[in-house]
Amino acid sequence: MPILEFVLQVILGITSILLTLLILLHKGRGGGLSDMFGGGMTSALGSSGLAERNLNRFTVVLALVWFAAIVALGLITKFQGL
């Protein structure tokens, strides 16, 4: 069981970093913090529709893997004392 717990912690760490980077890659869509830091300026360097859809899909899949790792680690921790 310690090996599984270690693997899940590594997966959680990697997915956390990747998820943060992918979220920062998304295009700002209006007011809020993205405008405060210069995200409100329109530019021709924005991603195309297909690239944006693929980025959204990859972000959602990675978020689901991240969530599953958290739930699995929680279950291992809960039932480890039994």
Side-chain angles (χ1 to χ4, degrees):
M1 213 41 122
I3 294 173
L4 179 62
E5 189 174 356
F6 177 74
V7 169
L8 285 172
Q9 287 176 351
V10 169
I11 289 173
L12 183 63
I14 291 171
T15 55
S16 296
I17 292 169
L18 287 175
L19 199 56
T20 302
L21 293 174
L22 286 177
I23 289 171
L24 289 175
L25 281 175
H26 279 82
K27 202 172 16 173
R29 291 213 164 69
L33 288 177
S34 66
D35 281 344
M36 183 187 307
F37 295 112
M41 299 171 29
T42 59
S43 77
L45 299 176
S47 59
S48 67
L50 180 63
E52 187 72 24
R53 280 194 304 266
N54 287 336
L55 182 64
N56 287 340
R57 289 177 186 149
F58 192 64
T59 304
V60 168
V61 168
L62 196 63
L64 291 174
V65 171
W66 179 81
F67 182 75
I70 289 177
V71 169
L73 277 170
L75 289 174
I76 287 172
T77 303
K78 180 178 180 179
F79 294 116
Q80 202 168 27
L82 297 177

